[in-house]
Amino acid sequence: MPNPSLHSIPSVQAPLHLLLEADPRTEVIAGYLHDCHCVVARLGEATVGVYLLKALGAETWELMNIAVAPEHQGRGIGALLLRHAIDQARQLGAKRLELGTGSFGHQLTFYQRAGFRVVAVEPDYFLTHYPEPLFENGLQHRDRLRLALTL
């Protein structure tokens, strides 16, 4: 498989169908999309991945969303996007990169492999912020973990 190319694009052009892979609520995505730095991964003409970074303060940024098309998962595209997001945050002046994720599942392992550490737990986050229950491997997501990486 050829390596995907990465491209910065205006956040309003971010591929919503991919963002929904990581965050199933259009309203939530709309709430942060316009303030984000957006990068997409392309294989030829096809957009196969995306991430969004948002400044939380002068030296702290948040990875708001990162997703890879289901048919392209497991091929290293997510890891490429995450490494690029970390480098991009550094270039934008960040000293810390944060994110929120579920308290279990492959996403947590994915971020921990990249050096992110749990810094807080938000109890019942998924119960209060999402009208439909979110399940993974037969378990319902309830709490959100806040992870951070010192850059």
Side-chain angles (χ1 to χ4, degrees), residues 7-138:
H7 307 270
S8 290
I9 64 169
S11 61
V12 295
Q13 295 176 11
L16 183 61
H17 70 286
L18 288 180
L19 297 174
L20 288 167
E21 291 291 328
D23 190 338
R25 294 216 40 222
T26 305
E27 316 83 64
V28 173
I29 294 168
Y32 58 73
L33 183 62
H34 296 289
D35 296 327
C36 289
H37 177 82
C38 180
V39 171
V40 295
R42 292 190 181 125
L43 282 173
E45 296 298 311
T47 299
V48 298
V50 61
Y51 74 76
L52 297 173
L53 286 176
K54 178 179 178 178
L56 298 181
E59 296 185 341
T60 303
W61 284 67
E62 182 169 355
L63 180 63
M64 300 299 296
N65 192 310
I66 184 169
V68 174
E71 64 273 19
H72 293 282
Q73 291 176 2
R75 299 180 185 171
I77 297 169
L80 175 71
L81 285 167
L82 184 57
R83 283 191 306 274
H84 191 270
I86 292 166
D87 291 342
Q88 189 67 49
R90 268 193 203 102
Q91 290 175 19
L92 292 166
K95 302 286 186 233
R96 178 180 170 105
L97 183 59
E98 297 183 0
L99 61 89
T101 194
S103 58
F104 61 88
H106 73 285
Q107 297 91 342
L108 180 59
T109 305
F110 173 70
Y111 297 125
Q112 288 177 320
R113 262 193 239 111
F116 284 85
R117 303 281 310 270
V118 175
V119 294
V121 178
E122 295 174 284
D124 295 331
Y125 176 88
F126 293 105
L127 300 180
T128 58
H129 289 84
Y130 292 84
E132 299 293 322
L134 297 176
F135 286 89
E136 184 175 344
N137 296 325

